[in-house]
């Protein structure tokens, strides 16, 4: 109970119910040496603020209206709680007499209450709720900022991966194109000689002019062989002499001849060198 009434007003009101107020720390009450847990109710006052500590059923409760709810007080803590109130300046009165019947008292006679969390002061709870709202708002703002940054980071990572893949594909396509150009250059003007092998030339790789002359000699020899197969018997001697003369002239100009496989290898090597040179020139540009 709470009021700004004077002590005498409270005392007169309780007399209507046959109840009496006795000061808890008075010599008269202290001589009685009554254990507080054997009482039924206490009324506490400090600066015109009144509240009750009452036994309901078999348990004690602090019914201070400044709390968010009743506070359970154990029997062992009751005496210490009252002593603490006295140190804080409270006046404590013992309520003597038979208290009127109470529905809460009847219910708690059958069951016991277990309190997990102590009730807080109303002002303290409001301040805590306000602080929680502020923290929640700040947290939501931080999460929004982080979500936006995270999305930007993920988009940037995806873009970087896409660019890296595209660069790899371009490099592979360039390598394949270079290889195809090298093969095409190496295969131009070259065919396999299935009937005759030409001895391999010792020494360093022939020049492009030497390769050209050897290819001309090779194709000329192939053409003469076809003409010999198609010409009448009377012309075979003349063609053979001409073929021998051309071959000897080519051999005397070019030196040692080389096989078709060696020619193909040399042509591929020269083509690759030409491609590398062209790529370096394009890269410098």
């Amino acid at each position: 109970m709470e009021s700004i009434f004077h002590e005498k007003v409270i005392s007169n009101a309780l007399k209507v119910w046959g109840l009496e107020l006795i000061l808890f720390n008075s010599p008269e009450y202290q001589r009685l040496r009554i254990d507080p847990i054997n009482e039924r109710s206490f009324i506490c006052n400090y600066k015109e603020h009144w509240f009750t500590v009452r036994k309901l059923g078999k348990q004690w409760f602090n019914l201070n209206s400044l709390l968010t709810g009743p506070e359970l007080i154990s029997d062992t803590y009751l005496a210490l709680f009252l002593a603490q109130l006295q140190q804080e300046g409270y006046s404590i009165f013992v309520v003597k007499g038979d208290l009127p019947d109470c529905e809460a008292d009847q219910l708690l006679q059958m069951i016991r209450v277990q309190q997990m969390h102590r009730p807080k002061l109303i002002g303290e709870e409001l301040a805590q709720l306000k602080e929680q709202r502020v923290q929640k708002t700040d947290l939501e703002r931080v999460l929004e900022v982080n979500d936006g940054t995270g999305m930007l980071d993920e988009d940037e990572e995806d873009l970087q991966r896409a660019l890296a893949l595209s660069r790899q594909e371009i490099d592979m396509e360039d390598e394949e194109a270079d290889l195809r150009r090298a093969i095409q250059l190496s295969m131009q003007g070259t065919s396999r000689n299935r009937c005759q092998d030409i001895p391999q030339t010792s020494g360093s790789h022939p020049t492009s002019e030497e390769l050209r002359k050897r290819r001309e000699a090779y194709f000329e020899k192939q053409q003469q062989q076809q003409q010999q197969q198609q010409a009448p018997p009377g012309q075979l001697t003349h063609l053979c002499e001409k073929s021998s003369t051309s071959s000897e002239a080519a051999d005397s100009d070019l030196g040692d001849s080389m096989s078709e496989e060696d020619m193909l290898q040399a042509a591929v090597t020269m083509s690759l060198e030409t491609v590398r040179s062209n790529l370096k020139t394009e890269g410098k540009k």
Side-chain angles (χ1 to χ4, degrees):
M1 57 184 294
E2 178 185 3
S3 175
I4 60 174
F5 297 135
H6 192 270
E7 173 190 347
K8 292 183 178 180
V9 177
I10 299 295
S11 178
N12 292 332
L14 292 176
K15 286 180 180 179
V16 177
W17 301 92
L19 302 174
E20 181 183 0
L21 287 181
I22 300 177
L23 190 62
F24 178 70
N25 59 349
S26 64
E28 179 185 357
Y29 183 79
Q30 293 298 324
R31 282 196 299 268
L32 298 176
R33 296 183 179 180
I34 300 175
D35 192 340
I37 62 174
N38 295 324
E39 300 291 351
R40 296 293 302 170
S41 177
F42 297 93
I43 294 179
C44 308
N45 172 48
Y46 179 71
K47 293 183 178 180
E48 299 182 349
H49 171 67
W50 299 78
F51 69 90
T52 302
V53 178
R54 179 173 175 176
K55 190 173 187 179
L56 297 172
K58 300 178 181 179
Q59 294 174 290
W60 284 91
F61 293 90
N62 175 14
L63 304 180
N64 192 341
S65 60
L66 296 180
L67 297 176
T68 56
E71 179 185 11
L72 180 63
I73 301 176
S74 64
D75 291 346
T76 55
Y77 180 62
L78 177 62
L80 181 61
F81 178 71
L82 295 176
Q84 182 180 355
L85 291 178
Q86 285 181 325
Q87 290 180 355
E88 293 176 359
Y90 278 86
S91 299
I92 302 175
F93 301 90
V94 182
V95 180
K96 287 292 187 177
D98 294 331
L99 298 176
D101 291 337
C102 173
E103 183 178 354
D105 181 56
Q106 295 174 359
L107 179 62
L108 293 176
Q109 290 287 348
M110 298 180 289
I111 60 174
R112 295 183 65 86
V113 175
Q114 291 184 353
Q115 193 169 48
M116 303 300 297
H117 301 286
R118 175 185 174 277
K120 299 177 182 180
L121 291 172
I122 293 178
E124 180 183 357
E125 185 182 28
L126 291 176
Q128 215 169 36
L129 290 174
K130 184 178 180 180
E131 184 178 357
Q132 289 177 357
R133 291 194 200 100
V134 172
Q135 292 177 352
K136 184 178 179 181
T137 304
D138 295 339
L139 180 61
E140 290 175 351
R141 291 175 182 172
V142 171
L143 291 176
E144 289 177 359
V145 172
N146 289 340
D147 289 343
T149 305
M151 292 175 64
L152 291 176
D153 292 341
E154 292 178 359
D155 293 340
E156 186 175 356
E157 290 178 0
D158 294 339
L159 179 59
Q160 292 295 335
R161 282 195 294 266
L163 290 175
L165 290 174
S166 64
R167 283 195 294 267
Q168 291 178 0
E169 292 176 358
I170 291 173
D171 293 340
M172 293 176 62
E173 290 176 357
D174 290 343
E175 291 178 359
E176 293 177 358
D178 294 340
L179 181 59
R180 285 196 296 270
R181 285 197 295 269
I183 293 174
Q184 290 175 359
L185 291 173
S186 66
M187 294 302 294
Q188 287 179 358
T190 305
S191 62
R192 181 175 297 276
N193 184 6
R194 298 179 182 178
C195 301
Q196 182 178 0
D197 292 336
I198 302 174
Q200 183 177 1
T201 304
S202 59
S204 60
H205 294 292
T207 63
S208 59
E209 184 64 22
E210 290 175 349
L211 288 173
R212 185 183 62 77
K213 290 181 179 181
R214 291 177 185 179
R215 284 199 294 270
E216 290 177 356
Y218 172 76
F219 289 128
E220 185 178 355
K221 188 181 290 185
Q222 291 289 332
Q223 186 176 8
Q224 289 174 0
Q225 288 177 359
Q226 292 177 1
Q227 289 176 358
Q228 288 175 7
Q229 292 176 1
Q230 297 176 359
Q235 297 179 358
L236 289 175
T237 303
H238 175 70
L239 292 174
C240 288
E241 292 176 355
K242 185 177 179 181
S243 174
S244 299
T245 303
S246 301
S247 298
E248 291 175 358
D251 291 340
S252 61
D253 293 337
L254 301 176
D256 295 332
S257 61
M258 62 189 302
S259 65
E260 180 188 357
E261 293 180 357
D262 294 333
M263 292 173 63
L264 178 60
Q265 184 177 1
V268 170
T269 302
M270 293 182 61
S271 301
L272 291 175
E273 291 177 354
T274 304
V275 170
R276 291 192 189 99
S277 178
N278 293 336
L279 290 176
K280 289 180 179 179
T281 304
E282 294 177 358
K284 292 179 179 180
K285 292 179 179 181

